[in-house]
Amino acid sequence: MKKINLVILFSGNGSNMENLIEYFNHNEFLSEDAKEKVGIQISCAVTNNPNAYGISRCEALGVNCEILPHKEFDSREKFDEALLTLLKKYNPDAVILAGFMRILSPVFTSVIKSINIHPSLLPKYKGANAIKETYESGDEFGGVSVHWVSDILDGGEIILQDYIPKIAGESLEAFEDRIHKLEHNLYPTAILKALNLTRVIK
Ligand code: GAR
């Protein structure tokens, strides 16, 4: 069976990473022309944060995890060069960002095809506080965006978006939980769309 090889980058909790690994491990996929079965393998996860909780998720899942602390590099570009060198070992078909909280420079984005998830209806609320900013806004809806990565923060072409209505009186924590559930539903589907694959329904 043809295999697509992905590497996941994360910085913290790693719930999206875990969800993707479980989903890809437990499903089979079909190529665009429906002629051939395709498997998706995660050859490695990489974190820039040696204290990320996601590292223990990788251990439990049996997924190889590389730790590349960004603090050891004195510029964004030098970190990105080291990340590229590390990725060469795994030769991924695409790189998936799942809560990877670093801006990638053109050193990386001009060479690597990568996909990101962001917890807002982009172009609204870019950056690190999207859920809180959506919650505190007068908007009727919150949502999640999956997009191709460019060197503009949270700015590449949208692959898929999904939204939820805001509920009057809901706490920030409850709203955040609903956004994360939406992410866990949307991200696998959006990645399949980006890779021109469909899931085999058993
Ligand atoms: C997710 O909500 C993801 O959308 C967000 O970080 C969280 C990571 O959670 N990413 C960004 O805000 C990127 N700009 P997780 O580590 O549990 O997957």
Side-chain angles (χ1 to χ4, degrees):
M1 182 166 50
K2 183 182 168 191
K3 288 264 182 198
I4 291 192
N5 170 22
L6 302 179
V7 167
I8 301 182
L9 309 186
F10 68 99
S11 296
N13 181 28
S15 74
N16 277 287
M17 171 189 65
E18 178 173 299
N19 177 62
L20 290 173
I21 291 169
E22 300 273 16
Y23 182 89
F24 293 141
N25 280 348
H26 293 112
N27 285 288
E28 284 177 347
F29 308 96
L30 275 184
S31 60
E32 196 176 16
D33 56 10
K35 282 199 176 137
E36 132 179 83
K37 270 195 188 170
V38 178
I40 300 181
Q41 91 188 11
I42 308 296
S43 53
C44 174
V46 181
T47 184
N48 62 310
N49 172 11
N51 301 313
Y53 179 69
I55 296 170
S56 53
R57 292 188 195 261
C58 288
E59 278 162 18
L61 290 159
V63 169
N64 176 26
C65 180
E66 301 260 16
I67 303 171
L68 187 68
H70 65 271
K71 288 190 177 151
E72 290 178 4
F73 299 87
D74 55 22
S75 74
R76 195 171 292 289
E77 287 73 19
K78 285 201 177 126
F79 171 79
D80 286 0
E81 273 162 25
L83 185 56
L84 281 182
T85 305
L86 179 60
L87 289 176
K88 268 196 197 129
K89 251 169 64 182
Y90 297 95
N91 193 23
D93 296 299
V95 169
I96 307 298
L97 278 57
F100 185 68
M101 304 307 271
R102 283 199 54 86
I103 298 170
L104 291 160
S105 71
V107 168
F108 183 93
T109 56
S110 62
V111 179
I112 298 281
K113 191 168 78 164
S114 59
I115 296 170
N116 183 41
I117 188 161
H118 185 75
S120 76
L121 289 168
L122 289 172
K124 286 187 164 185
Y125 314 119
K126 297 179 176 185
N129 299 306
I131 298 180
K132 191 161 183 279
E133 283 170 16
T134 307
Y135 177 81
E136 287 171 353
S137 75
D139 297 357
E140 273 185 75
F141 297 99
V144 171
S145 305
V146 176
H147 63 92
W148 291 105
V149 174
S150 70
D151 52 348
I152 299 164
L153 174 67
D154 300 323
E157 186 194 336
I158 301 283
I159 298 164
L160 267 184
Q161 289 181 307
D162 214 348
Y163 65 88
I164 48 173
K166 301 218 342 237
I167 298 172
E170 185 178 41
S171 67
L172 173 60
E173 292 68 29
F175 177 66
E176 197 160 2
D177 276 357
R178 288 198 297 131
I179 289 286
H180 289 313
K181 285 204 181 87
L182 196 64
E183 291 190 312
H184 295 168
N185 268 316
L186 185 70
Y187 210 5
T189 312
I191 292 171
L192 293 186
K193 181 177 182 228
L195 298 174
N196 295 315
L197 297 175
T198 51
R199 183 166 73 96
V200 176
I201 309 287
K202 288 183 189 152

